[in-house]
């Protein structure tokens, strides 16, 4: 009789690595849930209702999915827990969270979240697991609600820039358009470039999606990652200018009711679609121009 090898089965989506302490993991997960579920409910009733921070739930879902999806890689080595450092960081995170929660400072309670998650990894498995989980923990930073002063400081010049570019482009195209600050006048209609059209919201969301794209593509080139992260900024701005131009044209030809109705809401979806396609196109263009393919001995690229 000949022995046949049995192929290894892929790990189940619910399986845990054999190197992880299941009891300790359950205790820490229960503690994190008790600590942060009330925080998430508070954010859902406040900051996440704001256009500037509406991407928060998406970031949270992506972070939790990445931590679970990478669990076998995070816990691949033998456990070497550092409970002294872990409990020290966890204590600092709990103090900061308690203070932020008592003073209703959503920025602080959200900012210390990766510290608390990282501390739990130190307690459970050690520094190796923490290093392997660096991206999901860093990605949580995009959940942090910015202070209103910072939002307005960034939003005002963006609105001004979008208004100026829109006016110049449409004037060059022959349209009867004028501008006073962030107020655009075309024909008999006046349109205010609001905060939602400034590009601040899409910039934060697209930057986070761009980083997620680079993580999923597993690029090892630092220059490529930096280039894509920077390229997202002008891509987001140009996509917002395109959105405002479309809304101005719809209002000019079909009236204010049409421009401020379904078209206004749907233009946001189009904005993200165009931006993501633009980011993918820039990435592929970078790959064609700067990434060299390995050559075979015959001198032809493989």
């Amino acid at each position: 009789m000949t022995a046949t090898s049995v192929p290894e089965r892929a790990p189940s989506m619910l399986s845990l690595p054999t190197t992880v302490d299941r009891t300790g993991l359950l205790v820490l997960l229960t503690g994190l849930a008790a600590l942060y579920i009330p925080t998430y409910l508070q954010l859902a009733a406040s900051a996440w209702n704001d256009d500037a921070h509406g991407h928060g739930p998406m970031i949270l879902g992506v972070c939790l999915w990445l931590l679970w999806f990478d669990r076998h890689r995070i816990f691949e080595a033998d456990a070497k827990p550092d409970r002294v450092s872990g409990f020290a960081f966890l204590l600092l995170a709990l103090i900061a969270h308690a203070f932020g929660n008592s003073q209703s400072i959503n920025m602080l309670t959200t900012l210390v979240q990766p510290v608390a998650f990282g501390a739990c990894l130190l307690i459970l498995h050690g520094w190796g697991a923490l290093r392997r989980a660096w991206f999901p923990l860093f990605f949580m930073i995009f959940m942090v609600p910015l202070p209103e002063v910072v939002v307005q400081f960034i939003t005002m010049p963006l609105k001004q820039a979008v208004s100026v570019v829109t006016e110049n482009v449409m004037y060059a195209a022959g349209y009867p358009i004028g501008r006073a600050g962030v107020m655009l006048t075309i024909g008999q209609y006046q349109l205010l470039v609001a905060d939602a059209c400034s590009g601040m919201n899409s910039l934060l969301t697209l930057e986070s999606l761009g980083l997620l794209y680079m993580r999923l593509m597993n690029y090892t080139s630092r220059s490529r990652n930096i280039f894509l992260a920077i390229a997202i900024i002008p891509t987001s701005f140009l996509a917002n200018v395109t959105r405002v131009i479309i809304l101005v044209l719809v209002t000019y030809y079909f009236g204010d009711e049409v421009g401020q109705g379904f078209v206004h809401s749907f233009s946001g979806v189009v904005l993200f679609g165009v931006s993501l396609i633009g980011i993918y196109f820039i990435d592929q263009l970078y790959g064609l121009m700067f990434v060299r393919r390995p050559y075979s001995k015959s001198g032809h690229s493989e």
Side-chain angles (χ1 to χ4, degrees):
M1 296 178 63
T2 57
T4 57
S5 60
V6 179
E8 295 183 1
R9 296 178 60 183
S12 169
M13 283 300 296
L14 299 178
S15 66
L16 288 172
T18 56
T19 56
V20 70
D21 180 2
R22 288 168 167 73
T23 303
L25 179 62
L26 179 61
V27 171
L28 291 174
L29 289 178
T30 302
L32 288 173
L35 182 66
Y36 278 104
I37 286 179
T39 301
Y40 298 148
L41 294 176
Q42 184 178 357
L43 288 169
S46 55
W48 289 349
N49 280 327
D50 185 8
D51 289 335
H53 307 109
H55 58 280
M58 179 195 71
I59 301 297
L60 174 62
V62 169
C63 291
L64 296 179
W65 176 80
L66 284 174
L67 286 170
W68 182 254
F69 184 80
D70 288 344
R71 65 194 184 280
H72 289 280
R73 185 178 62 85
I74 294 173
F75 298 113
E76 64 183 1
D78 293 335
K80 297 179 181 179
D82 187 348
R83 292 189 173 87
V84 174
S85 300
F87 279 112
F89 283 118
L90 183 59
L91 179 61
L92 290 175
L94 291 175
I95 293 173
H97 184 276
F99 177 77
N101 192 51
S102 65
Q103 303 300 314
S104 298
I105 307 176
N106 291 327
M107 178 181 177
L108 182 59
T109 56
T110 314
L111 186 61
V112 297
Q113 182 179 219
V115 179
F117 276 70
C120 291
L121 284 175
L122 283 178
I123 296 171
L124 189 65
H125 216 75
W127 289 97
L130 179 61
R131 284 191 295 270
R132 289 185 288 272
W134 75 269
F135 182 82
L137 299 180
F138 168 77
F139 204 61
M140 289 180 180
I141 299 297
F142 286 95
M143 287 177 56
V144 178
L146 298 175
E148 188 63 28
V149 176
V150 176
V151 173
Q152 290 301 320
F153 179 78
I154 300 175
T155 298
M156 287 305 296
L158 282 175
K159 288 197 300 184
Q160 188 74 20
V162 169
S163 304
V164 170
V165 174
T166 300
E167 180 199 17
N168 290 333
V169 170
M170 298 199 67
Y171 182 79
Y175 286 93
I177 189 170
R179 180 182 61 85
V182 295
M183 180 72 72
L184 297 174
T185 303
I186 183 166
Q188 59 179 326
Y189 302 106
Q190 286 187 329
L191 298 94
L192 176 67
V193 179
D195 292 351
C197 296
S198 66
M200 172 71 177
N201 311 338
S202 58
L203 177 60
L204 291 174
T205 306
L206 288 171
E207 193 69 44
S208 61
L209 289 176
L211 291 177
L212 177 61
Y213 170 79
M214 288 181 272
R215 166 64 178 80
L216 296 177
M217 296 299 291
N218 286 323
Y219 290 143
T220 57
S221 171
R222 182 175 300 178
S223 61
R224 187 172 192 167
N225 289 333
I226 294 175
F227 174 79
L228 287 176
I230 296 175
I232 290 171
I233 298 175
T235 302
S236 173
F237 178 79
L238 291 176
N240 251 293
V241 171
T242 304
R243 179 193 184 191
V244 173
I245 290 176
I246 291 173
L247 292 175
V248 171
L249 289 174
V250 169
T251 302
Y252 180 66
Y253 285 110
F254 302 103
D256 184 66
E257 185 175 347
V258 177
Q260 299 302 316
F262 170 77
V263 175
H264 187 277
S265 301
F266 185 72
S267 64
V269 179
V270 175
L271 163 71
F272 282 106
V274 171
S275 300
L276 291 175
I277 293 173
I279 294 170
Y280 179 77
F281 175 77
I282 292 173
D283 177 40
Q284 296 304 307
L285 186 63
Y286 182 97
L288 291 174
M289 295 177 62
F290 299 106
V291 177
R292 295 181 179 178
R293 296 182 179 180
Y295 283 82
S296 62
K297 293 182 180 180
S298 61
H300 299 286
S301 60
E302 295 178 350

